PDB file of all heavy atoms in Angstrom:
ATOM      1  N   GLY A 234     104.207 -47.048 -10.387  1.00  0.00           N
ATOM      2  CA  GLY A 234     104.382 -48.457 -10.695  1.00  0.00           C
ATOM      3  C   GLY A 234     103.087 -49.211 -10.847  1.00  0.00           C
ATOM      4  O   GLY A 234     102.974 -50.137 -11.658  1.00  0.00           O
ATOM      5  N   GLY A 235     102.084 -48.831 -10.060  1.00  0.00           N
ATOM      6  CA  GLY A 235     100.812 -49.541 -10.076  1.00  0.00           C
ATOM      7  C   GLY A 235     100.021 -49.389 -11.355  1.00  0.00           C
ATOM      8  O   GLY A 235      98.993 -50.047 -11.541  1.00  0.00           O
ATOM      9  N   LEU A 236     100.482 -48.550 -12.270  1.00  0.00           N
ATOM     10  CA  LEU A 236      99.795 -48.407 -13.554  1.00  0.00           C
ATOM     11  C   LEU A 236      99.978 -49.649 -14.429  1.00  0.00           C
ATOM     12  O   LEU A 236      99.193 -49.884 -15.345  1.00  0.00           O
ATOM     13  CB  LEU A 236     100.310 -47.182 -14.303  1.00  0.00           C
ATOM     14  CG  LEU A 236     100.109 -45.819 -13.633  1.00  0.00           C
ATOM     15  CD1 LEU A 236     100.778 -44.732 -14.465  1.00  0.00           C
ATOM     16  CD2 LEU A 236      98.624 -45.525 -13.453  1.00  0.00           C
ATOM     17  N   VAL A 237     101.019 -50.419 -14.156  1.00  0.00           N
ATOM     18  CA  VAL A 237     101.345 -51.579 -14.980  1.00  0.00           C
ATOM     19  C   VAL A 237     101.216 -52.851 -14.154  1.00  0.00           C
ATOM     20  O   VAL A 237     101.739 -52.934 -13.034  1.00  0.00           O
ATOM     21  CB  VAL A 237     102.782 -51.466 -15.536  1.00  0.00           C
ATOM     22  CG1 VAL A 237     103.151 -52.714 -16.338  1.00  0.00           C
ATOM     23  CG2 VAL A 237     102.927 -50.221 -16.403  1.00  0.00           C
ATOM     24  N   ASP A 238     100.534 -53.849 -14.711  1.00  0.00           N
ATOM     25  CA  ASP A 238     100.478 -55.179 -14.103  1.00  0.00           C
ATOM     26  C   ASP A 238     101.808 -55.854 -14.422  1.00  0.00           C
ATOM     27  O   ASP A 238     102.005 -56.374 -15.518  1.00  0.00           O
ATOM     28  CB  ASP A 238      99.306 -55.965 -14.686  1.00  0.00           C
ATOM     29  CG  ASP A 238      99.145 -57.338 -14.049  1.00  0.00           C
ATOM     30  OD1 ASP A 238     100.127 -57.852 -13.477  1.00  0.00           O
ATOM     31  OD2 ASP A 238      98.042 -57.906 -14.134  1.00  0.00           O
ATOM     32  N   THR A 239     102.707 -55.834 -13.465  1.00  0.00           N
ATOM     33  CA  THR A 239     104.071 -56.288 -13.740  1.00  0.00           C
ATOM     34  C   THR A 239     104.135 -57.774 -14.031  1.00  0.00           C
ATOM     35  O   THR A 239     104.932 -58.217 -14.875  1.00  0.00           O
ATOM     36  CB  THR A 239     104.998 -55.945 -12.556  1.00  0.00           C
ATOM     37  OG1 THR A 239     104.734 -54.614 -12.100  1.00  0.00           O
ATOM     38  CG2 THR A 239     106.448 -56.036 -12.974  1.00  0.00           C
ATOM     39  N   ASP A 240     103.330 -58.583 -13.355  1.00  0.00           N
ATOM     40  CA  ASP A 240     103.329 -60.017 -13.631  1.00  0.00           C
ATOM     41  C   ASP A 240     102.917 -60.280 -15.075  1.00  0.00           C
ATOM     42  O   ASP A 240     103.505 -61.129 -15.762  1.00  0.00           O
ATOM     43  CB  ASP A 240     102.389 -60.747 -12.669  1.00  0.00           C
ATOM     44  CG  ASP A 240     102.933 -60.801 -11.251  1.00  0.00           C
ATOM     45  OD1 ASP A 240     104.167 -60.879 -11.104  1.00  0.00           O
ATOM     46  OD2 ASP A 240     102.132 -60.766 -10.302  1.00  0.00           O
ATOM     47  N   ALA A 241     101.908 -59.537 -15.539  1.00  0.00           N
ATOM     48  CA  ALA A 241     101.470 -59.691 -16.923  1.00  0.00           C
ATOM     49  C   ALA A 241     102.559 -59.221 -17.886  1.00  0.00           C
ATOM     50  O   ALA A 241     102.764 -59.820 -18.950  1.00  0.00           O
ATOM     51  CB  ALA A 241     100.181 -58.909 -17.160  1.00  0.00           C
ATOM     52  N   LEU A 242     103.267 -58.167 -17.522  1.00  0.00           N
ATOM     53  CA  LEU A 242     104.352 -57.667 -18.351  1.00  0.00           C
ATOM     54  C   LEU A 242     105.456 -58.713 -18.482  1.00  0.00           C
ATOM     55  O   LEU A 242     105.976 -58.948 -19.581  1.00  0.00           O
ATOM     56  CB  LEU A 242     104.919 -56.374 -17.757  1.00  0.00           C
ATOM     57  CG  LEU A 242     106.135 -55.775 -18.467  1.00  0.00           C
ATOM     58  CD1 LEU A 242     105.815 -55.426 -19.910  1.00  0.00           C
ATOM     59  CD2 LEU A 242     106.634 -54.540 -17.715  1.00  0.00           C
ATOM     60  N   VAL A 243     105.808 -59.349 -17.380  1.00  0.00           N
ATOM     61  CA  VAL A 243     106.838 -60.394 -17.411  1.00  0.00           C
ATOM     62  C   VAL A 243     106.412 -61.537 -18.330  1.00  0.00           C
ATOM     63  O   VAL A 243     107.221 -62.076 -19.098  1.00  0.00           O
ATOM     64  CB  VAL A 243     107.132 -60.911 -15.986  1.00  0.00           C
ATOM     65  CG1 VAL A 243     107.968 -62.193 -16.037  1.00  0.00           C
ATOM     66  CG2 VAL A 243     107.847 -59.847 -15.165  1.00  0.00           C
ATOM     67  N   THR A 244     105.141 -61.898 -18.276  1.00  0.00           N
ATOM     68  CA  THR A 244     104.631 -62.961 -19.146  1.00  0.00           C
ATOM     69  C   THR A 244     104.845 -62.612 -20.616  1.00  0.00           C
ATOM     70  O   THR A 244     105.278 -63.452 -21.419  1.00  0.00           O
ATOM     71  CB  THR A 244     103.141 -63.205 -18.876  1.00  0.00           C
ATOM     72  OG1 THR A 244     102.974 -63.653 -17.529  1.00  0.00           O
ATOM     73  CG2 THR A 244     102.566 -64.257 -19.823  1.00  0.00           C
ATOM     74  N   GLU A 245     104.537 -61.367 -20.985  1.00  0.00           N
ATOM     75  CA  GLU A 245     104.699 -60.949 -22.376  1.00  0.00           C
ATOM     76  C   GLU A 245     106.176 -60.875 -22.768  1.00  0.00           C
ATOM     77  O   GLU A 245     106.553 -61.234 -23.888  1.00  0.00           O
ATOM     78  CB  GLU A 245     104.025 -59.594 -22.600  1.00  0.00           C
ATOM     79  CG  GLU A 245     102.518 -59.603 -22.403  1.00  0.00           C
ATOM     80  CD  GLU A 245     101.824 -60.605 -23.311  1.00  0.00           C
ATOM     81  OE1 GLU A 245     102.133 -60.628 -24.516  1.00  0.00           O
ATOM     82  OE2 GLU A 245     100.985 -61.375 -22.806  1.00  0.00           O
TER      83      GLU A 245
END
Side-chain angles (χ1 to χ4, degrees):
L236 298 176
V237 177
D238 183 338
T239 316
D240 289 327
L242 176 60
V243 168
T244 297
E245 296 302 313

